[in-house]
Amino acid sequence: MLMGAYRKYILTMGIVWTASFIVFALVYYVVIAPQLKVKNQLLKESTEKKQLFELALSAANEDNKKKLAGEVEELKARLFGYVSEYEESADLTFTVSRIAADKRVSDFTVKTSEQGGAQDALAANNLQENHIEVAFASNFLQFASFLNTIERHQPVVFVDRFKVQRDNQGGASNRVDMSLSFFVRKKLGG
């Protein structure tokens, strides 16, 4: 009899514990878990807002303003190495001709080229891309020297493509066709 009462007591305790566990699990998943999720979301948003606030305070600091203004000026100065002024863009054609004369290439020709598709791809408000086509005859050393000088030019002149053809008469010179481009600051008001 004692064994039966003991068994009944253990069975009753097992049912109570199981029922309590189920109730606690339901309360956790229905009440506590959503609150924890909301708490974590609010904590994350609070951290983001705090970082923005600290960034705003940092930007308002006079020393930081001066530092950022200096960085902007430095970036503008670096930009001038890549962009020529609108008024100076015609001079770049003469500069390329002068470089060709200095490198002693022969039969040099230069012409401006209109490339509308590439112009549309450069959707900048203040810059435009100008193109020139050059052709000349030279030996390899003259060509390499010309190419090196063009690529080191300030403002930067980009070599979009070039084609070298061997001379049909068997001479030492080759025919070179090049497409060059450079950035120009757009004319103000136009």
Side-chain angles (χ1 to χ4, degrees):
M1 200 94 111
L2 190 58
M3 199 63 152
Y6 187 65
R7 190 177 275 171
K8 188 175 180 184
Y9 174 76
I10 290 181
L11 185 60
T12 305
M13 289 306 289
I15 292 172
V16 169
W17 277 98
T18 304
S20 298
F21 179 75
I22 291 172
V23 169
F24 287 136
L26 284 173
V27 167
Y28 178 80
Y29 286 112
V30 172
V31 177
I32 297 175
Q35 288 180 357
L36 288 175
K37 190 182 286 187
V38 169
K39 177 186 168 192
N40 288 337
Q41 180 66 27
L42 290 174
L43 187 61
K44 180 180 174 186
E45 289 176 11
S46 171
T47 304
E48 290 173 359
K49 299 293 182 190
K50 183 178 178 183
Q51 288 174 346
L52 287 174
F53 176 72
E54 289 173 357
L55 186 62
L57 283 178
S58 174
N61 185 346
E62 285 299 319
D63 291 337
N64 288 342
K65 283 182 182 179
K66 290 176 184 176
K67 180 181 174 185
L68 290 174
E71 288 178 13
V72 167
E73 291 303 317
E74 181 183 327
L75 290 173
K76 282 182 181 178
R78 287 179 51 196
L79 176 65
F80 289 122
Y82 290 91
V83 178
S84 66
E85 294 298 325
Y86 180 81
E87 295 78 20
E88 300 169 357
S89 64
D91 293 341
L92 275 172
T93 304
F94 297 117
T95 301
V96 170
S97 298
R98 183 186 46 76
I99 291 170
D102 290 347
K103 302 305 175 187
R104 296 190 172 111
V105 299
S106 58
D107 300 330
F108 183 81
T109 60
V110 61
K111 66 177 182 171
T112 58
S113 170
E114 295 296 324
Q115 295 186 357
Q119 193 76 353
D120 295 338
L122 182 67
N125 294 331
N126 300 320
L127 296 178
Q128 71 184 31
E129 184 177 2
N130 288 359
H131 299 271
I132 56 176
E133 301 288 330
V134 297
F136 56 91
S138 70
N139 63 28
F140 177 76
L141 292 177
Q142 290 169 324
F143 166 70
S145 179
F146 177 81
L147 182 64
N148 189 23
T149 303
I150 288 292
E151 288 186 330
R152 288 186 290 121
H153 187 269
Q154 293 291 328
V156 173
V157 176
F158 299 96
V159 178
D160 293 332
R161 65 163 184 81
F162 65 87
K163 179 173 70 172
V164 179
Q165 293 176 331
R166 193 176 328 174
D167 187 14
N168 291 338
Q169 284 85 23
S173 67
N174 300 307
R175 186 75 191 154
V176 178
D177 295 311
M178 297 179 85
S179 175
L180 307 174
S181 63
F182 52 94
F183 294 122
V184 176
R185 190 180 316 276
K186 286 184 179 177
K187 188 175 183 180
L188 293 176

